[in-house]
Every structure is written in structure tokens, then in C-alpha cells.
Amino acid sequence: MRGTIIEAILSEHLVSGTLAPGEEVGLRIDQTLTQDATGTMAYLQFETLGLDRVRTELSVSYVDHNTLQTGFENADDHRYLQTVAARYGIYFSRPGNGICHQVHLERFAVPGKTLLGSDSHTPTAGGLGMVAIGAGGLDVALAMAGQPFYVRVPKVLGIRLTGQLPDWVSAQDVILHLLEKLSVSGGVGKALEYFGNGVDTLSGPQRATITNMGTELGATTSIFPSDETTRRFLHAQQRQEVWRPLSADEDAEYAQIIEVNLSELEPLIAQPHSPDNVVPVGKIAGTKVNQVCIGSCTNSSLAELMTVAALLRGKQVHPDVSVTVSPGSRQVLTMLARNGSLADLLAAGVRLLETACGPCIGMGQAPATDAVSLRSFNRNFSGRSGTKSAQVYLASPVVCAAAALTGEITDPRTYPPRSRWPLSWKGQCC
Amino acid sequence: MLLKVGDNITTDHIMPAGAKLLPLRSNIPAISQHVFAPVDPSFAERAQAHDGGFIVGGDNYGQGSSREHAALAPAYLGVKAVLACSFARIHQANLVNFGILPLQISKEDYQHCQPGDQLRIKEVNKKMVAGQPLVVDNISQDYQFIAAAQLSQRQVEIIQAGGALNWARQKLAGAG
Ligand code: SF4
């Protein structure tokens, strides 16, 4: 792992142990995040430790998983989270602000720092060059108490990206490709570090889509370099002062190098009931679809949702398909509203959901019996949607949008190239 | 042995979420009744009737969501150890944090074990401290097999303290 970004950040945060793969080390944690479904327990645990304040640089409590207040339980939990945050110096992100990972990327992620989150998709922030790790609530409570986080040092896999994504091929296809190659256990005990000139062609949110779903490989974390794209993203978020450049040494040592030529990728789809059950979209084109859900922490950035809106503009979603869009954050929803994309989505017949996890965690939108549901999410485990007999597929937002219009799984490359579209996508969103 | 499951069991199998169950995340006795509901709805009842026991799983046990309720609720039901061919990282740590032993077993021994077998693990503390593999007696089938705890020194201390919360409290108190 010598010369990798992972090594650089871990050694800056090393409290105990030696940085050798497989060894348990203690790491200093700069930031923590929790979400409501794991957070209540984490804060109850933190409270038993008897401290006055959190001892991190920054701790945030998000409410995004269960925002359906079907009874007092949930509302009570939210009240507890808000008061405990005020008591111990924790930022409280109220329901409606958005999904923890998307909001954290926008507001708090800092290249070179460590983040521990009581949610397995915490590595999303790795898209901005952070070592971000998911853990149980108790480990996060201990990190809030200033205790080191103990983890076995992962082997660092180098993923060399070359080329550029072709039209209608998305960031999600990069990670689906890796899932097909490595399987849901292929990343256990490993960290994925991306490098190569293909990195320059991916935006901040695209990188975050890829690091987000590295979790499905079982990886400890995933990370991208922090470069000019990262700086631009942070500048757009009015926090470029936290930027610092990070890249691996020329001769960095990886446990293994995996080559991915972005130019050769095609639209992919994960079939039921595992994220690694991947085939090219074209192979199952024509499969009837009953539900399409676009959003989640994997794919609900402004650029992705604007692309969906542009595809649906002036058209109607297929009458047999229930189509939902849940923007990742209040910021994304606000910008969609300002630039008119939201009106395009609504006019096309989309059902707008709250900026929260929603269908991804089975909070509403359970599909009909035996229904086929296509989602731009990261997990399609049997039953997670709320319907045991449902067949859940995972694909990029553009594949979802195409199916929303045709009512069946459709290869989006049947559309004219993006370059001939009225909107210039390049440089539109950081 | 309360339950035998296959490969790639997710924390969604162990502790499902969704609109009916998420409101119960702060109510451990209530949510515990749904442990393994998608796999075997009678699990919770059986675990409580036997006053706890063991779970046997295949490869990559506990992948998916980080939810520690997938360790906390089985701990509440009295589960003492999970014997699996391999574990997902976060869940392995969560099991230790809630005082459940994650034990690695071979593929053959996994195949040998049958649901309902009576298993006994002796001298857990001694072997764990010495870093030696544990010996599991399969009383029903009358044979023994090896299970590796693969715990760090810190994790051994956590199991001895009955979980990470007790362990951390002792540590913080010690630090004044
Ligand atoms: S959107 Fe889905 S995967 Fe992401 S944090 Fe929410 S429940 Fe988890």
C-alpha cells in the first residue's frame, strides 16, 4: 500500500498499531455521521459514556431513513435525536434536508480527513478524497467520545480508469462492472483506490456514485484522488477553503491492479436478488417493468436528475409504470425547482417523493405482487423493497428513465447522442 | 443450534427494516421478535424458548447495511455465537461489540452441521485469551470440530467485558 492515498491518510490518523494489511490499527476519527435508524441507539450509547460534548471535529445526525410518521414512535425518535444533538454539540440535519451521504458530500466532506458513519454507504464521501468508513452505531458512539476506531488495515486494490464513458453509460455502470467482476464478497478486507487519467473525466458526484456502491463489494472503503474537479465541486458548494490535493505516488504499490477502460463499458443492470448479478441491459431488454424508482444515496445528484428530467421532458411516462423520483437533498430539489427540471418531471407523470431514502429502505412504494421494479439504487436483496415476491433490478438513472417511458427494460443507447441535445451537459454540474 | 443459513446472508435477512419495523428501532424487545423473520419466522420464539444458542452461516455472513440491531437483537434473544465460513467486516465488529462470538469454521464442518444439532463450546475464555482455536462438540452427531475466533486483543477484552459499551466505560473511567 506504499505510496497510496489510503496509506497517506491512514498514517496521518494512526493512533496505534502498524499499517500492514490485516493488522488491527486504531485510527483518529475527524468526523462522524449517523442516520435515524441507527442513530437513536448510537446516541443512547454515547450518553452512557458520561461525556459533556462530542470530541470529534464535526459530528452530524441526519434524519433520512424513517420519515413516515405513522405513529408516535418515529416522531418521538426524531425529537430525541434533535435534543441529544443540541445537548452534545452535534449538527442536526432535520428531516427533509436529504439523504445523509448526499448532504454530507455537499456540506461537510473534506479531502484527507476521516469519517466514520453508522451507515454502510458512508464511503460515498470517498468520492471527494476522504477515508470514509461505515461501522456499527456503537463504534460511532465511541468515535464521538474521542476514542480511536479499530479496524483491520485493508489491502489496497488499485483501479486504473482509462478512457471516457460513452454516451448513456453512467458512473453506476462502472461499479456494476466491478461487481460483476469481483462479486459481493470480492472487496472484503480491501479498499478500492481509483487512479489513472479516466478519473479526470468523472465529476465529483459521479465519483461518489462509484465509492458509494463499493460497499456492495464488501470493501472497507473506496477513494478517489482529490484534484481540480474536487476543488471545483467544493468551490460550487462555497467551501473550497477545505480543499487539498491528494494523489497516489507514481510508483504506488497496490495489492492488485484492475484495469477499467471507461470507453469500453456499456449500460449494465443487476438482476434480482443481488447487486452482483449483473448483465448488459441489452441482454434483458424488453422485460416489462411495473415500477421505476430514481434517487437514493447512489444516484440522486443534480446532474443525474437533470438528465432524467431532460429525457422525460415533453413526454409521458408509460401508463403501466409507477415512476418515483426522490432527490438526494434539499439543495438538489431546490435547484431542480429553480431550473425548471422539476416541472418537466411532474408534467411527465412522475411521483415526487420526499428527499429521503424512501423506497430504498422499504419506506413506502412497496411494489405489487410479483412486480418488476427497476431502481437507481444500490441494493436489491430479496424482500428489502417491502414485497417478498417483487423482482428488483438496479441500473443507472438513464436506464431507469428509458424504462419509465417505454414500460420495459430498454438500452438507453437507442437515444440520440447527448452531444446533440439542446442542453450542454459538460461543465454544467461540477 | 438455532438456525442454519446459506452464503451472503444480509443484515436485511437478520434484522429487516421497512415501514413496519423501522419505528421499532428504539424498542429492542419488540424489534427482536422479527429477527430472521424473512428466513424463518419462528426464529425469535425458538431462540427465547431455548434461552439462546448458536447460529450457523456460510460465506460473507452479515453483508449489507451496517445496522447494529442485527447484532443487538440476536444478543437480546440470547444468541452467544455465530459460526460461519466467513464474515462481512461491519457485522463481525458489531457481533463483538454486543458480546456475540464470531467464529470461523470450515466449509466441510458447515456442511456437516444440521439445524437442531446440540453444540457445546468449552473453555471459551481460556482459549480466546491464549489465541487458540475453540473446540466445538457436536453432541448430536458425536464429533468435534475447530472454530477460530480470530479476535484482536482488544476484541477479546470486549467479549470478556460483555460488550463494547461496558469495555469503553471501564476504559473511560480508568482514564479519569
Ligand atoms: S438511500 Fe438506501 S442505501 Fe442510501 S442511505 Fe438510504 S437506505 Fe441506505
Side-chain angles (χ1 to χ4, degrees):
Chain A
M1 66 191 307
R2 201 184 43 75
T4 61
I5 304 173
I6 298 269
E7 187 205 28
I9 301 177
L10 293 188
S11 56
E12 281 174 23
H13 291 84
L14 195 65
V15 178
S16 64
T18 44
L19 272 187
E23 293 291 311
E24 187 178 90
V25 288
L27 298 176
R28 185 166 44 77
I29 296 299
D30 301 320
Q31 301 188 350
T32 63
L33 72 77
T34 58
Q35 38 92 337
D36 49 304
T38 58
T40 45
M41 205 50 68
Y43 294 112
L44 286 168
Q45 290 160 346
F46 176 77
E47 285 199 281
T48 69
L49 299 174
L51 301 180
D52 287 338
R53 256 187 98 79
V54 288
R55 294 183 177 171
T56 46
E57 289 176 12
L58 173 101
S59 288
V60 192
S61 170
Y62 294 94
V63 180
D64 54 3
H65 276 58
N66 185 359
T67 56
L68 288 185
Q69 281 140 337
T70 53
F72 64 89
E73 295 90 345
N74 196 213
D76 284 0
D77 278 353
H78 295 179
R79 186 155 65 180
Y80 168 67
L81 288 170
Q82 183 164 10
T83 51
V84 84
R87 165 77 179 76
Y88 293 103
I90 299 157
Y91 282 85
F92 177 70
S93 175
R94 58 159 64 115
N97 277 358
I99 306 172
C100 52
H101 309 303
Q102 175 71 24
V103 180
H104 209 83
L105 202 67
E106 293 167 358
R107 308 287 185 180
F108 301 114
V110 176
K113 298 255 180 194
T114 52
L115 167 67
L116 193 71
S118 63
D119 189 282
S120 59
H121 290 103
T122 302
T124 311
L128 293 186
M130 212 174 182
V131 166
I133 303 179
L138 184 43
D139 282 334
V140 176
L142 294 174
M144 288 192 287
Q147 295 296 306
F149 170 62
Y150 296 94
V151 65
R152 285 187 197 279
V153 176
K155 285 189 192 155
V156 182
L157 289 192
I159 315 286
R160 193 202 320 264
L161 301 180
T162 51
Q164 185 164 13
L165 288 174
D167 260 328
W168 308 121
V169 180
S170 309
Q172 176 129 354
D173 298 314
V174 179
I175 192 69
L176 287 176
H177 170 75
L178 288 172
L179 273 157
E180 183 190 11
K181 248 181 134 112
L182 302 174
S183 91
V184 289
S185 56
V188 176
K190 296 170 187 155
L192 274 60
E193 183 166 317
Y194 293 83
F195 69 105
N197 54 20
V199 166
D200 308 341
T201 68
L202 298 171
S203 70
Q206 282 179 312
R207 298 172 184 186
T209 295
I210 295 169
T211 55
N212 170 283
M213 240 181 127
T215 297
E216 275 45 68
L217 293 158
T220 303
T221 191
S222 297
I223 196 165
F224 270 85
S226 170
D227 56 11
E228 197 43 35
T229 304
T230 318
R231 197 194 58 75
R232 248 187 298 130
F233 180 86
L234 289 167
H235 176 74
Q237 296 293 340
Q238 298 177 349
R239 17 185 230 105
Q240 71 163 318
E241 69 284 355
V242 302
W243 179 75
R244 70 177 253 209
L246 286 168
S247 60
D249 294 348
E250 282 294 326
D251 58 350
E253 281 171 10
Y254 301 99
Q256 189 191 339
I257 291 182
I258 296 176
E259 305 278 347
V260 179
N261 184 345
L262 299 173
S263 307
E264 285 171 4
L265 294 181
E266 57 180 326
L268 297 171
I269 189 165
Q271 306 181 98
H273 295 284
S274 183
D276 59 1
N277 188 12
V278 173
V279 292
V281 170
K283 193 163 169 213
I284 54 166
T287 308
K288 290 266 171 291
V289 172
N290 310 97
Q291 182 189 50
V292 169
C293 299
I294 299 171
S296 92
C297 59
T298 314
N299 272 307
S300 45
S301 65
L302 180 65
E304 293 290 350
L305 295 185
M306 279 181 66
T307 310
V308 169
L311 274 169
L312 300 189
R313 178 178 301 145
K315 305 199 183 78
Q316 281 291 302
V317 301
H318 193 277
D320 297 341
V321 187
S322 168
V323 182
T324 71
V325 169
S326 33
S329 68
R330 189 188 293 280
Q331 183 188 85
V332 168
L333 178 56
T334 305
M335 291 173 82
L336 290 172
R338 289 226 173 95
N339 70 23
S341 299
L342 182 60
D344 293 334
L345 290 171
L346 295 175
V350 160
R351 300 170 64 179
L352 181 71
L353 303 182
E354 193 176 8
T355 50
C357 300
C360 182
I361 189 77
M363 298 307 292
Q365 310 304 322
T369 309
D370 300 334
V372 169
S373 176
L374 175 60
R375 301 170 165 213
S376 72
F377 302 172
N378 49 36
R379 287 189 176 135
N380 58 346
F381 303 149
S382 165
R384 183 171 162 106
S385 66
T387 303
K388 226 180 155 187
S389 69
Q391 304 293 312
V392 179
Y393 292 75
L394 307 172
S396 68
V398 295
V399 173
C400 289
L405 290 172
T406 60
E408 51 187 51
I409 289 171
T410 304
D411 190 329
R413 289 175 303 179
T414 50
Y415 290 108
R418 261 184 240 216
S419 49
R420 279 203 261 122
W421 278 45
L423 276 172
S424 148
W425 297 103
K426 231 181 140 44
Q428 183 127 58
C429 312
C430 15
Chain B
M1 172 173 161
L2 296 166
L3 182 70
K4 180 174 175 177
V5 289
D7 291 343
N8 293 324
I9 285 295
T10 72
T11 50
D12 274 273
H13 290 108
I14 305 170
M15 188 73 261
K20 292 202 191 75
L21 293 188
L22 277 190
L24 300 178
R25 280 281 173 99
S26 304
N27 186 343
I28 301 305
I31 204 166
S32 297
Q33 298 309 310
H34 302 274
V35 170
F36 276 116
V39 181
D40 178 354
S42 62
F43 177 82
E45 213 180 303
R46 198 166 58 248
Q48 279 182 311
H50 285 82
D51 206 13
F54 305 127
I55 295 166
V56 173
D59 266 320
N60 201 22
Y61 180 87
Q63 68 156 335
S65 163
S66 69
R67 61 190 69 158
E68 63 186 347
H69 290 73
L72 174 54
Y76 177 81
L77 295 176
V79 172
K80 297 286 183 290
V82 178
L83 292 76
C85 302
S86 64
F87 291 88
R89 176 187 61 88
I90 302 177
H91 188 62
Q92 200 259 8
N94 285 342
L95 287 173
V96 173
N97 281 350
F98 289 96
I100 299 179
L101 266 178
L103 298 175
Q104 199 174 19
I105 57 173
S106 74
K107 263 257 149 18
E108 292 93 74
D109 292 326
Y110 164 76
Q111 275 152 4
H112 237 83
C113 284
Q114 294 309 321
D117 279 359
Q118 221 181 330
L119 306 180
R120 181 177 51 203
I121 311 177
K122 284 192 292 193
E123 302 184 310
V124 172
N125 200 29
K126 198 174 116 196
K127 300 232 156 124
M128 204 170 63
V129 172
Q132 291 166 348
L134 302 178
V135 179
V136 186
D137 295 325
N138 188 329
I139 299 168
S140 313
Q141 298 192 35
D142 195 23
Y143 80 105
Q144 293 187 326
F145 61 98
I146 296 289
Q150 296 190 321
L151 302 176
S152 67
Q153 188 52 39
R154 179 189 60 93
Q155 288 181 314
V156 171
E157 287 171 23
I158 291 176
I159 298 272
Q160 286 175 325
L165 206 50
N166 291 344
W167 173 81
R169 251 199 317 232
Q170 290 164 7
K171 242 179 87 167
L172 286 170

